[in-house]
Amino acid sequence: MRTETPVTIRLKDYQPPAYWIKNCALIIRIFANYTEVDSTLTMVRNGDPSELPALVLDGVEQLIQSLSFDGEAITDYDYQHDRLTVQPTQAEFTFNAVTHIFPNTNTSLEGLYKSGTMVCTQCEAEGFRKITFYLDRPDVMATFSTRIEADQAPFPILLANGNPTASGELEQGRHFATWDDPFAKPAYLFATVAGDLVRRDDAFTTASGRDISLRIFAEPHNAHKTEFALTALKKSMRWDEERFGREYDLDIFMIVASDFFNMGAMENKGLNIFNSAAVLATPETASDDRFERIEGIVAHEYFHNWSGNRVTCRDWFQLSLKEGFTVYRDAEFTSDLHDRAVKRIKDVLFLKNHQFPQDGGPNAHPVQPQEYIEINNFYTVTVYEKGAEIVGMLHTLLGDRPFRQACDLYFERFDGMAVTTDDFVDCMAQISGQDFSQFKRWYTQAGTPIVEIHEDYDANLARYRLSFTQSCPATPGQSDKQPLVIPVKMALLDSTGQALPIDCDGDYNADTQVLTLTEAVTTVTFQHLASQPTPSLFRDFSAPVRVRQALSDPALLLLAQHDDNAFNRFEAVQQVYLDTLLKLTRGELDAIPALVDTVVLSILSDTRLSHALQAVLLSLPSYQQMMDNLDTVDAEAVIVARDRLKLHLAQTYQSHWATLSQTLTSADDYVFTADEVGRRELQGLALYYWVLSGDKFGLNSAEALYRAAQNQTDRLNGLKAVMASPDRDRQQRLLVHFYRHWHQDTQMVETWLALQAGAEGVGVTDILLLMAHDAFDFTNPNKVRSVLGGFTQNFKAFHDIQGDGYNFMSEQIVALNAINPQVAARFVGVFERWRKFAPERSAAMHSALTAVLETESLSPDVLELVQKTLV
Ligand SMILES: [Zn+2]
């Protein structure tokens, strides 16, 4: 644990490094109790060669064996505060360091660490400094050669980045392998793996005819679960060639599955390392959403080979350069392969459930943050998902072809370089001829803009006016906000939902049907409209803004029933639900409004809708969205309101749910296609409502589905529906059955833990029991996320005022802080909205968080977030 005062790093202080590293030659000798790292850096002065400033290298917990310049031992050095300072005497030189590190006790899972029976790495953002001394910053790009030596028996497989060059036996049962990566890269993309791994092979021929070996490695107990990811990888490689003209470059591409991993996956050059949960799947053990997630993550990490690796970030303030762009790319991939409308709806829901609250809370920050203490804390939904929305807006503003041309220009111009988000946007500007200087505010201004819409129709003049007023609430450190460039995809609908021809004298592009707002207030006039149209605005969520628009019930109903833009139809339906939920919460309603029933019936009876779309249209807004739309949250009222509407839907449409659930049953073999995923999703939802309605036939049907299931999706649909019933005995029987059958499967055990932590009626005592179970492991992030993540996302359980959820989580954060600061810091977020709650809860959350702050030796990760959250 670092004990010195954390340092704030600021974008405005960026300086190029005083030295470059041209090549890094590593010899990694793995022994039972320690690892020896022998690193030779070929370096050159960046700047005036007659002036040689001190060389300051990053290095954490390095046990120095020897240091030398060009073979001459260095005796005069200073190593403190994670920095090694030495004085070069030449402008070009080699620097060698031999150090010892201790992977077995490295529970932070950064640098080189033990995961199950293997040893692997995680270097992004600043893990490489835990392996050896280095200029650990992304603008220092070097070629790497790696030699790994280890005992043959426990570590028959030895991997690193690049292409394999040699391997062979050594004395005393040891062996070695060497790898060479010819593409210069920052150290955060370094990877090595040693273990007893089983591999699955495949091959891919690139568009230009090069043959690439594809290999996925997993520990023996997971070896049967790698086929799906391999197929996803091949689809990703082809898609990136076709959509973005990007071909793979090395001779081999490898993925390794690790049971101990802080994040989802890591795009190390040619050697991706994945959290097991984000790569391993069989129909028997993974549900549809897991398959979808895995396909998306495999694609995401592969796409980084260009958007991130070949063109990388100059500094960590540019993180969205690679992440926002790559999230955008993987979303396009999934949309092309599956159901574009449903993918868009789910992505926007994620943004609204997670990023909007972040933007409205104490940790609001721009997509390009201006400062940080711990960069690990900035792997956020703002940098990733809002960053992806920015790229999506650029696409909308440019159109398909120019956007592709601008991406081509970006990849060609900056190949092999470390650049900035400005460089990216400048390519868009150059190709389109548009001025994007105002647009760039999306990167620097935090907060979710609000767009208020007013309409005015003059029947005599057949004239319709829309006025848009944009504003953005103050965020920490940013009180003064400037207008943004906001693209509004739109249509005007007649009373049957048909789009009307548009005759407009404003700044309006009739081809793309996109209005571009640039001022605080924009008014657009439409002519020759014989009757008042219904506006369908921000189609496909064309900008990440909060829309404030007072629509009449008939207008809302028209959009909810007839808008041919599926996303806007969804938005209208959600608005109907949300208005009802908010009114119920405030005690403003005696009965559920008829509008809700009209909308639900029209969805249930609309046979043109895909099953997947029906399922999302029949799902209620989350607690998060309700909270987001309330000034002060009375948790009981929120819970009662949502339960009431849910029960109303369950009971009113009981026969529909029963019929749907039965007719959607299929005994066919599992296939992962958009149609089949949609069918299973709607069936799961129908079954859930059917059980919730109190019909015991529903409950029996749910148990029957669980017991007969041939795949995980059906099994969980059955089990989750049973968990929605008050029949505790039945739930226990099925949970015991589940564990007995699947306790040897890591992913199934994680699912089993999460199901219980997220169950109705669970309390701190139950969570403690789960944590005392043999299946739990406090050093394993997936297990911790299953139990503590499941609990904190369980709104009723976590916010139960009779319970002790807040203090319990405060204690868990402190305990995790000592083991794995990154994972601990993630859980600080559960207190992010403490100010939103009514006084009693607000005070309880505040005191729980204060208790964390009063702990000694907090990591910078946790300290930074707790301090910000409490302000
Ligand atoms: Zn990424």
Side-chain angles (χ1 to χ4, degrees):
M1 199 66 46
R2 282 176 268 184
T3 50
E4 77 272 24
T5 314
V7 181
T8 300
I9 318 280
R10 293 187 173 83
L11 171 58
K12 66 179 173 56
D13 296 338
Y14 173 82
Q15 294 285 339
Y19 295 90
W20 295 117
I21 301 173
K22 293 291 181 196
N23 178 265
C24 172
L26 290 171
I27 305 170
I28 298 174
R29 300 187 180 94
I30 299 171
F31 297 100
N33 295 320
Y34 70 98
T35 291
E36 182 172 275
V37 181
D38 180 330
S39 154
T40 304
L41 308 178
T42 305
M43 303 191 71
V44 57
R45 166 83 171 114
N46 176 31
D48 183 354
S50 65
E51 278 177 38
L52 297 176
L55 172 61
V56 183
L57 296 158
D58 305 293
V60 176
E61 289 159 19
Q62 298 293 308
L63 201 58
I64 296 172
Q65 306 300 304
S66 67
L67 302 172
S68 63
F69 277 131
D70 295 318
E72 293 272 322
I74 303 171
T75 49
D76 186 16
Y77 64 83
D78 179 48
Y79 180 34
Q80 54 182 333
H81 305 309
D82 303 336
R83 290 202 157 76
L84 175 74
T85 307
V86 286
Q87 183 56 56
T89 54
Q90 316 268 345
E92 290 186 37
F93 55 92
T94 62
F95 169 81
N96 177 273
V98 179
T99 59
H100 287 180
I101 54 175
F102 303 90
N104 293 359
T105 53
N106 179 0
T107 57
S108 73
L109 313 188
E110 295 173 296
L112 187 73
Y113 65 91
K114 193 166 179 289
S115 167
T117 57
M118 68 177 173
V119 173
C120 65
T121 50
Q122 171 56 36
C123 293
E124 187 176 1
E126 298 179 334
F128 195 71
R129 62 188 63 184
K130 290 188 161 189
I131 297 174
T132 187
F133 291 112
Y134 206 76
L135 295 173
D136 191 5
R137 43 187 290 170
D139 56 352
V140 172
M141 298 175 80
T143 52
F144 277 68
S145 63
T146 310
R147 177 185 167 101
I148 315 138
E149 299 178 7
D151 289 339
Q152 200 151 11
F155 302 114
I157 302 284
L158 304 174
L159 310 173
N161 313 90
N163 298 316
T165 47
S167 60
E169 295 192 359
L170 300 168
E171 286 175 0
Q172 296 179 320
R174 290 176 68 77
H175 71 145
F176 76 95
T178 58
W179 294 79
D180 196 41
D181 184 1
F183 294 95
K185 65 170 179 285
Y188 82 86
L189 291 171
F190 172 80
T192 189
V193 173
D196 184 3
L197 305 171
V198 180
R199 99 183 195 208
R200 187 185 295 271
D201 282 25
D202 209 327
F204 180 84
T205 305
T206 68
S208 69
R210 290 178 52 248
D211 290 324
I212 315 292
S213 299
L214 310 179
R215 290 177 191 167
I216 301 200
F217 297 86
E219 290 181 81
H221 63 278
N222 286 326
H224 60 294
K225 293 183 171 181
T226 52
E227 191 180 344
F228 177 74
L230 205 44
T231 307
L233 174 61
K234 286 186 288 183
K235 286 181 189 169
S236 312
M237 295 176 88
R238 189 63 73 213
W239 185 89
D240 211 15
E241 292 181 345
E242 289 169 356
R243 273 292 301 273
F244 280 88
R246 298 297 112 199
E247 229 183 270
Y248 187 61
D249 43 18
L250 291 163
D251 302 334
I252 182 169
F253 186 88
M254 299 174 285
I255 291 176
V256 175
S258 162
D259 281 348
F260 286 71
F261 207 74
N262 280 344
M263 305 185 281
M266 179 62 212
E267 71 264 24
N268 319 300
K269 182 78 186 186
L271 176 57
N272 287 187
I273 300 181
F274 272 60
N275 187 326
S276 293
V279 64
L280 302 172
T282 62
E284 191 65 20
T285 61
S287 54
D288 289 334
D289 49 357
R290 178 70 62 97
F291 274 101
E292 214 163 87
R293 181 162 172 258
I294 289 173
E295 192 175 66
I297 296 180
V298 168
H300 178 98
E301 306 308 335
Y302 173 73
F303 297 157
H304 267 315
N305 191 54
W306 275 95
S307 48
N309 300 5
R310 289 283 288 257
V311 183
T312 196
C313 307
R314 188 194 70 176
D315 52 72
W316 290 120
F317 299 102
Q318 319 299 330
L319 183 55
S320 197
L321 176 78
K322 76 178 179 76
E323 294 306 341
F325 189 22
T326 307
V327 170
Y328 172 79
R329 273 151 54 71
D330 83 56
E332 281 297 296
F333 168 77
T334 302
S335 301
D336 281 352
L337 257 61
H338 301 287
D339 186 324
R340 179 168 287 270
V342 172
K343 169 68 177 161
R344 187 64 186 143
I345 288 168
K346 290 185 174 175
D347 283 351
V348 173
L349 276 178
F350 185 82
L351 192 82
K352 289 188 174 182
N353 285 332
H354 301 280
Q355 200 278 325
F356 278 22
Q358 181 165 73
D359 250 352
N363 298 317
H365 55 272
V367 171
Q368 181 182 75
Q370 301 299 298
E371 60 177 50
Y372 62 77
I373 290 175
E374 174 52 65
I375 185 58
N376 285 333
N377 289 336
F378 282 89
Y379 285 72
T380 62
V381 283
T382 297
V383 169
Y384 278 62
E385 273 72 23
K386 189 176 178 180
E389 293 298 321
I390 294 178
V391 179
M393 286 190 286
L394 287 168
H395 187 172
T396 302
L397 290 168
L398 264 74
D400 291 342
R401 246 181 77 79
F403 178 74
R404 167 65 197 270
Q405 288 168 336
C407 292
D408 287 350
L409 175 66
Y410 167 74
F411 287 127
E412 278 152 33
R413 180 179 288 171
F414 299 115
D415 189 9
M417 295 169 68
V419 300
T420 65
T421 52
D422 268 357
D423 294 323
F424 179 74
V425 179
D426 289 346
C427 291
M428 303 286 154
Q430 183 175 330
I431 293 292
S432 66
Q434 298 176 44
D435 178 356
F436 279 99
S437 40
Q438 185 187 354
F439 183 87
K440 287 179 182 173
R441 286 179 192 156
W442 277 106
Y443 284 100
T444 53
Q445 187 164 293
T448 307
I450 296 168
V451 179
E452 281 180 57
I453 296 157
H454 292 282
E455 51 179 340
D456 172 53
Y457 178 66
D458 186 327
N460 292 329
L461 297 173
R463 192 186 67 192
Y464 178 70
R465 275 198 176 132
L466 278 174
S467 82
F468 300 84
T469 306
Q470 60 161 305
S471 60
C472 185
T475 50
Q478 278 189 351
S479 50
D480 193 26
K481 305 284 186 179
Q482 303 295 313
L484 296 165
V485 177
I486 298 178
V488 187
K489 265 199 217 175
M490 64 161 294
L492 298 178
L493 308 182
D494 70 12
S495 59
T496 65
Q498 292 296 307
L500 292 158
I502 282 173
D503 180 359
C504 157
D505 50 23
D507 174 18
Y508 186 88
N509 182 338
D511 293 340
T512 54
Q513 302 187 326
V514 178
L515 276 170
T516 307
L517 315 180
T518 54
E519 308 293 326
V521 182
T522 308
T523 302
V524 189
T525 306
F526 303 89
Q527 309 285 2
H528 309 301
L529 290 163
S531 59
Q532 178 161 357
T534 299
S536 171
L537 304 174
F538 290 99
R539 299 188 128 196
D540 299 319
F541 201 65
S542 59
V545 299
R546 291 176 196 270
V547 182
R548 300 263 186 270
Q549 184 182 15
L551 283 169
S552 65
D553 280 2
L556 206 49
L557 189 60
L558 181 85
L559 297 172
Q561 292 184 319
H562 299 296
D563 197 325
D564 67 347
N565 187 269
F567 178 81
N568 274 28
R569 184 171 177 183
F570 168 79
E571 284 278 271
V573 171
Q574 287 281 296
Q575 196 58 53
V576 171
Y577 297 149
L578 189 60
D579 287 348
T580 306
L581 288 170
L582 296 176
K583 284 180 184 159
L584 284 170
T585 305
R586 296 190 197 105
E588 295 168 6
L589 282 182
D590 296 326
I592 305 295
L595 185 63
V596 172
D597 291 309
T598 311
V599 165
V600 170
L601 271 176
S602 73
I603 299 165
L604 284 168
S605 60
D606 190 341
T607 49
R608 296 163 308 168
L609 288 171
S610 70
H611 291 143
L613 206 46
Q614 265 182 313
V616 290
L617 289 172
L618 291 165
S619 301
L620 295 181
S622 62
Y623 289 115
Q624 285 74 16
Q625 277 192 68
M626 291 174 70
M627 286 175 59
D628 211 32
N629 285 279
L630 291 163
D631 292 330
T632 303
V633 176
D634 172 348
E636 276 85 19
V638 165
I639 289 167
V640 167
R642 198 162 182 279
D643 279 352
R644 180 157 170 212
L645 182 55
K646 217 160 59 172
L647 194 63
H648 172 83
L649 296 187
Q651 291 177 337
T652 311
Y653 304 102
Q654 190 190 79
S655 62
H656 285 88
W657 306 130
T659 310
L660 262 181
S661 162
Q662 284 159 334
T663 53
L664 290 172
T665 300
S666 163
D668 294 346
D669 282 348
Y670 179 90
V671 279
F672 179 67
T673 58
D675 284 350
E676 279 292 277
V677 169
R679 178 186 64 75
R680 287 186 289 265
E681 187 167 7
L682 185 59
Q683 194 205 7
L685 185 78
L687 190 59
Y688 174 86
Y689 278 130
W690 189 15
V691 170
L692 197 67
S693 75
D695 186 346
K696 75 172 192 312
F697 294 110
L699 185 54
N700 290 337
S701 180
E703 178 168 352
L705 180 65
Y706 168 83
R707 292 200 182 273
Q710 298 296 311
N711 64 69
Q712 174 77 336
T713 311
D714 285 345
R715 185 177 300 118
L716 286 185
N717 278 344
L719 189 51
K720 283 179 181 168
V722 171
M723 300 294 280
S725 79
D727 190 341
R728 291 291 137 87
D729 291 344
R730 198 188 295 241
Q731 290 167 11
Q732 274 313 310
R733 263 202 324 276
L734 297 194
L735 287 168
V736 168
H737 175 270
F738 191 103
Y739 188 73
R740 194 179 298 142
H741 275 74
W742 302 104
H743 66 276
Q744 282 174 325
D745 185 293
T746 313
Q747 282 79 48
M748 291 297 265
V749 169
E750 286 162 15
T751 302
W752 180 79
L753 290 169
L755 263 174
Q756 295 175 83
E760 194 92 10
V762 79
V764 168
T765 323
D766 306 288
I767 300 300
L768 285 169
L769 279 174
L770 283 179
M771 291 173 71
H773 195 282
D774 285 347
F776 187 76
D777 176 355
F778 206 54
T779 66
N780 184 301
N782 286 359
K783 298 274 173 69
V784 170
R785 276 188 285 258
S786 295
V787 175
L788 298 183
F791 174 65
T792 50
Q793 283 159 33
N794 186 338
F795 189 88
K796 288 186 191 177
F798 179 54
H799 295 291
D800 181 1
I801 205 75
Q802 312 303 331
D804 202 16
Y806 302 151
N807 287 329
F808 169 72
M809 278 314 297
S810 160
E811 288 158 20
Q812 300 311 313
I813 290 169
V814 170
L816 279 168
N817 174 69
I819 296 171
N820 188 326
Q822 260 190 60
V823 173
R826 289 277 152 159
F827 282 107
V828 176
V830 304
F831 293 108
E832 195 170 35
R833 308 177 87 190
W834 66 273
R835 280 180 191 281
K836 271 239 158 195
F837 285 86
E840 196 181 356
R841 280 190 181 75
S842 185
M845 290 172 98
H846 183 270
S847 93
L849 210 47
T850 307
V852 176
L853 192 63
E854 284 164 359
T855 310
E856 277 181 28
S857 59
L858 274 189
S859 61
D861 308 56
V862 175
L863 183 68
E864 178 178 26
L865 285 183
V866 175
Q867 280 176 337
K868 279 189 183 165
T869 307
L870 278 173
V871 166

